Amino acid sequence: MLRKFKSLKKTARTDFFTYLGVVVAFIVMFALQQAGALSSSVSSWLVPICCFIVMAVSLNLTVGILGELSLGHAGFMSVGAFSGVIAAMSLSEAIPFAPLRLALAILVGALFAALTGVVVGVPVLRLRGDYLAIVTLAFGQIIKDLINCLLVGYDSNGLHIIFNLSKLTIEDLHMDETGIAIIKGAQGATGIEKLATFPAGFILVMLTLVIVLNMVRSRTGRAVMAIRDNRIAAESVGINITKYKLIAFITSAALAGAAGALYGLNYGSLVSSRFDFNTSILVLVYVVLGGLGNIWGSIVAATVLYVLPEALREFQDYRMLAYAVVLILVMLATNNDRLKALLGRLLPRRKEEKDRG
Amino acid sequence: MAEKKFEKGRMVPVPSHSIIPERDLGKTPILECTHLGIDFGGLKAVDDFTLTIGRTEIAGLIGPNGAGKTTVFNLLTKVYHPTRGTILLDGIDTAGKSTIQINRMGIARTFQNIRLFSNLSVEDNVKIGLHNQEKYSTLSAVLRLPAYWKKEKAAHEKALELLSIFDMQDMAGYKAGSLPYGAQRRLEIVRALATDPKLLLLDEPAAGMNPSETAELMENIAKIRDTFQIAILLIEHDMNLVMGICEGICVLNFGQIIAKGTAEDIQNDPQVIEAYLGKRKEAAPC
Ligand SMILES: Nc1ncnc2c1ncn2[C@@H]1O[C@H](COP(=O)(O)OP(=O)(O)OP(=O)(O)O)[C@@H](O)[C@H]1O
Ligand SMILES: [Mg+2]
């Protein structure tokens, strides 16, 4: 058994420890939570941490594995969050069993985010060159404003949706007496039933890992990484560049949508400004600090960097300062070979590669 | 794989004023270029390029620096689309095809400035070459369906078998970018072979290799042709290699073909001596 394990490829062993780490961390935290050993504030971090792990791992698929810069990952999260909340609230009578409703809401969130990913990705990823960063940056801003214009309610006649460009209010949906308002324009979604649970977050993290890791360690993942490493060579061996870019980008968007749905259903109310540019950059920082292409690195970075500012609430003013410094360093590093080498020694992924050969 | 040793046989003329090995006569030539040309702005980088290559021929493309040799490869693989002329690959017109389609139709290539997937392992580089050979869907990958296991096993075995051509199977786990220069060039050839080509284009395969490595490479190029029964067109500055293994040789200067023929024909051609070999002799300190 042990020998068999040793004969496994290094990637297979890394993946095994990634899963193992997540499972052990979950069991420990869940046991502590059930035993009442966690303070209420620590307890409240558990679901968001799961969400941001999924966000970081999925963004790593686009940035680390595919090698395209995305600056609007929070946009997909917000699409998932609001579509998930709409699904959960309108299904509350039809499906009384909460876990099933949550699962469906997450699925709906992933689906809508994937569709949005198609809309953003298809025109951009067909081009040669780094247009994705600019387009996703714009997308993140636009989606926020679009959601601010939404009026959504649900009554016995079904779903009512108005795209509000004038000064309409929720009354203009003309719902009957059974009606509930789901999204009230810039006020966002209110009265959300908190369906999200820590075990649900754990399951979502595990599903994300299975999807991303199985994809990366396959023909598809190799094709995606080939495009990243050398586009011209990838074409010369007959790899359909656009197809594999889209597979990676849309999967990444769908997973962000799933994370968004779980996140949205963890709070009583939700505004679209929660998923702004800062959130996108926050997740990007997790990915860069965890190591591009390094999945367990993203998990660790997301957890640590989520907990750190929460634990140091009184110093929170400095958080944005730290991000600015990190970003400048990253920009310098990607343009400077000496710094790149220095950073390479600090990042776990690079170290691991050096060991390999 | 059926191995049949080909001798450097008699060359016979074909209607396009090229020559092909006698044994390939009567079969569709693997490549027929007629009046191929491309302009970059005012520069006619390649002009009136007409060449026929037999199905099992090892052909050479030589010429001074900047003659347009790599540009010919880029035209054949549709990195550039020709301004003039036609390319028939195995009798099929390749007009309007993309680089990807050309590879699927049977042309694989290596690059003058090595283009490996340098962050990936040697084995993965070859497996990427097998992309269109051992196919399964992304869904079977994510769900680890039987197709995944079957095809991955096949790809692993094929990759090692291909690497064994150059005795590189022990390097399978190394990072491609960490290999020595010569091994990187050999890996590029293996990756190209993995796509199951009918015509293999090698752009300066011996560049940066020492004489003993070059001699070994020569043997291996002949072995590859014999094993896979494919045609090979190679660009090379090493005249020993070119004269040693190429059956038909085409000399390019300023984008124009100045001579075509066997090694003997080329070596005795006054235009070639002036444009190419003569210049080398002058440059060589005696
Ligand atoms: N994309 C391009 N745009 C403009 N000019 C080009 C382009 N590609 C090649 N050229 C020009 O075409 C000519 C032929 O270049 P090419 O690379 O084919 O030469 P080569 O025979 O391969 O030379 P070498 O032996 O140095 O590799 C050169 O003058 C080069 O500058
Ligand atoms: Mg060249």
Side-chain angles (χ1 to χ4, degrees):
Chain A
M1 182 67 197
L2 187 69
R3 190 180 303 155
K4 197 175 166 206
F5 185 73
K6 274 190 180 155
S7 76
L8 278 177
K9 278 213 304 198
K10 183 152 182 149
T11 50
R13 261 183 292 164
T14 313
D15 293 355
F16 174 77
F17 282 116
T18 308
Y19 288 119
L20 188 71
V22 171
V23 170
V24 168
F26 168 72
I27 291 174
V28 170
M29 293 313 286
F30 190 63
L32 288 175
Q33 191 191 26
Q34 293 306 91
L38 298 183
S39 69
S40 68
S41 70
V42 172
S43 251
S44 75
W45 300 344
L46 296 176
V47 172
I49 287 175
C50 291
C51 296
F52 279 103
I53 287 175
V54 174
M55 287 297 286
V57 170
S58 60
L59 184 63
N60 208 336
L61 189 58
T62 298
V63 180
I65 308 290
L66 175 62
E68 295 271 348
L69 187 55
S70 167
L71 297 175
H73 209 50
F76 296 115
M77 192 185 193
S78 110
V79 170
F82 284 96
S83 53
V85 164
I86 292 171
M89 287 176 79
S90 33
L91 289 172
S92 59
E93 299 227 323
I95 306 171
F97 184 54
L100 181 61
R101 195 144 32 96
L102 175 64
L104 272 175
I106 289 175
L107 207 65
V108 168
L111 212 72
F112 274 87
L115 283 176
T116 320
V118 172
V119 172
V120 176
V122 167
V124 181
L125 292 173
R126 288 167 58 189
L127 305 174
R128 270 168 212 252
D130 305 319
Y131 298 105
L132 193 70
I134 295 168
V135 172
T136 47
L137 175 70
F139 158 73
Q141 296 300 319
I142 291 168
I143 200 75
K144 208 171 62 182
D145 295 334
L146 288 182
I147 290 172
N148 277 343
C149 295
L150 274 184
L151 292 174
V152 180
Y154 184 81
D155 67 5
S156 52
N157 298 322
L159 213 52
H160 299 257
I161 301 176
I162 294 185
F163 190 69
N164 175 20
L165 288 175
S166 43
K167 290 199 175 78
L168 301 181
T169 65
I170 201 75
E171 306 304 327
D172 297 299
L173 291 175
H174 302 298
M175 291 188 289
D176 60 26
E177 62 283 357
T178 61
I180 45 164
I182 301 178
I183 300 179
K184 289 191 250 177
Q187 274 172 277
T190 48
I192 305 168
E193 187 189 348
K194 292 188 208 171
L195 294 174
T197 59
F198 183 36
F202 164 71
I203 292 169
L204 187 61
V205 169
M206 289 301 279
L207 277 177
T208 303
L209 285 178
V210 168
I211 291 171
V212 171
L213 289 174
N214 281 1
M215 189 187 279
V216 171
R217 317 290 184 222
S218 77
R219 172 177 178 264
T220 305
R222 286 193 298 265
V224 172
M225 291 186 285
I227 296 167
R228 171 196 69 188
D229 276 8
N230 203 312
R231 183 202 163 100
I232 292 174
E235 270 185 323
S236 85
V237 295
I239 289 174
N240 185 338
I241 307 283
T242 310
K243 176 180 160 186
Y244 285 96
K245 276 185 169 182
L246 281 174
I247 287 180
F249 184 69
I250 292 167
T251 307
S252 163
L255 291 172
L262 185 73
Y263 190 84
L265 292 167
N266 190 45
Y267 300 97
S269 63
L270 194 66
V271 286
S272 64
S273 60
R274 178 129 8 140
F275 309 101
D276 59 0
F277 180 63
N278 285 341
T279 312
S280 291
I281 295 301
L282 191 78
V283 179
L284 188 61
V285 168
Y286 298 163
V287 171
V288 171
L289 288 187
L292 292 175
N294 179 354
I295 302 299
W296 67 261
S298 290
I299 299 175
V300 173
T303 311
V304 171
L305 289 180
Y306 184 86
V307 170
L308 216 63
E310 293 288 335
L312 304 170
R313 272 231 173 250
E314 56 263 50
F315 306 117
Q316 221 197 356
D317 288 349
Y318 295 101
R319 193 174 62 164
M320 291 324 285
L321 187 70
Y323 292 144
V325 171
V326 167
L327 275 185
I328 291 168
L329 278 180
V330 168
M331 261 172 2
L332 284 174
T334 48
N335 288 304
N336 181 315
D337 280 337
R338 269 232 214 102
L339 252 163
K340 222 194 263 180
L342 180 79
L343 212 75
R345 252 174 280 144
L346 299 175
L347 291 181
R349 176 188 79 109
R350 302 283 174 96
K351 225 185 263 162
E352 184 190 316
E353 269 174 1
K354 226 176 264 164
D355 294 346
R356 221 183 293 159
Chain B
M1 270 171 270
E3 184 161 339
K4 183 172 148 209
K5 224 162 171 56
F6 293 111
E7 295 302 319
K8 209 165 149 179
R10 209 162 75 83
M11 300 296 282
V12 290
V14 287
S16 64
H17 310 290
S18 291
I19 50 169
I20 63 169
E22 197 174 17
R23 61 173 184 273
D24 291 335
L25 213 60
K27 291 177 233 159
T28 320
I30 197 62
L31 186 75
E32 285 175 279
C33 302
T34 34
H35 309 299
L36 198 59
I38 186 167
D39 303 342
F40 293 121
L43 174 76
K44 285 190 169 178
V46 172
D47 195 29
D48 205 14
F49 185 85
T50 298
L51 183 70
T52 301
I53 296 179
R55 297 197 77 87
T56 60
E57 180 177 350
I58 299 183
L61 182 59
I62 62 173
N65 289 110
K69 307 179 293 296
T70 300
T71 306
V72 168
F73 275 20
N74 285 335
L75 287 172
L76 295 180
T77 54
K78 301 288 173 180
V79 174
Y80 302 143
H81 288 271
T83 319
R84 302 171 288 279
T86 52
I87 305 166
L88 297 189
L89 172 61
D90 204 359
I92 302 165
D93 193 348
T94 65
K97 298 276 193 261
S98 68
T99 304
I100 295 156
Q101 289 169 315
I102 288 292
N103 177 259
R104 292 182 186 170
M105 286 172 72
I107 300 187
R109 72 176 290 186
T110 66
F111 296 88
Q112 183 172 356
N113 46 342
I114 301 174
R115 289 181 178 276
L116 285 172
F117 308 120
S118 41
N119 291 311
L120 303 181
S121 71
V122 168
E123 181 176 341
D124 280 350
N125 270 265
V126 184
K127 281 182 177 167
I128 290 167
L130 291 166
H131 183 81
N132 290 320
Q133 268 25 264
E134 300 299 336
K135 286 181 152 183
Y136 58 87
S137 69
T138 305
L139 195 68
S140 14
V142 169
L143 301 177
R144 295 270 158 120
L145 298 180
Y148 164 85
W149 297 104
K150 202 177 120 209
K151 298 289 185 175
E152 276 297 299
K153 186 161 172 273
H156 173 72
E157 282 162 7
K158 264 198 194 175
L160 290 188
E161 191 185 326
L162 286 163
L163 283 169
S164 71
I165 297 173
F166 290 111
D167 222 4
M168 286 174 71
Q169 63 275 41
D170 296 338
M171 299 180 183
Y174 292 177
K175 213 176 97 168
S178 73
L179 294 183
Y181 197 72
Q184 292 199 11
R185 287 218 172 272
R186 289 189 283 269
L187 177 56
E188 262 208 328
I189 298 177
V190 175
R191 181 183 68 190
L193 273 177
T195 67
D196 193 23
K198 300 178 203 160
L199 171 64
L200 180 62
L201 308 179
L202 305 176
D203 199 340
E204 305 199 10
M209 286 189 182
N210 62 36
S212 77
E213 275 183 311
T214 306
E216 202 178 312
L217 178 74
M218 263 171 84
E219 272 174 36
N220 280 321
I221 290 175
K223 192 174 103 185
I224 286 168
R225 191 267 314 268
D226 295 345
T227 319
F228 297 92
Q229 315 233 342
I230 57 174
I232 297 175
L233 173 62
L234 57 89
I235 296 174
E236 191 43 71
H237 287 296
D238 186 317
M239 284 306 129
N240 289 332
L241 187 148
V242 174
M243 299 303 166
I245 58 170
C246 292
E247 295 166 288
I249 298 170
C250 173
V251 189
L252 216 54
N253 196 19
F254 295 115
Q256 303 266 357
I257 294 180
I258 55 168
K260 273 188 281 196
T262 62
E264 294 80 55
D265 301 339
I266 299 299
Q267 276 161 328
N268 298 324
D269 190 301
Q271 254 189 301
V272 176
I273 293 170
E274 188 195 317
Y276 192 83
L277 299 173
K279 210 172 76 187
R280 275 170 64 97
K281 263 183 203 148
E282 273 164 37
C286 301

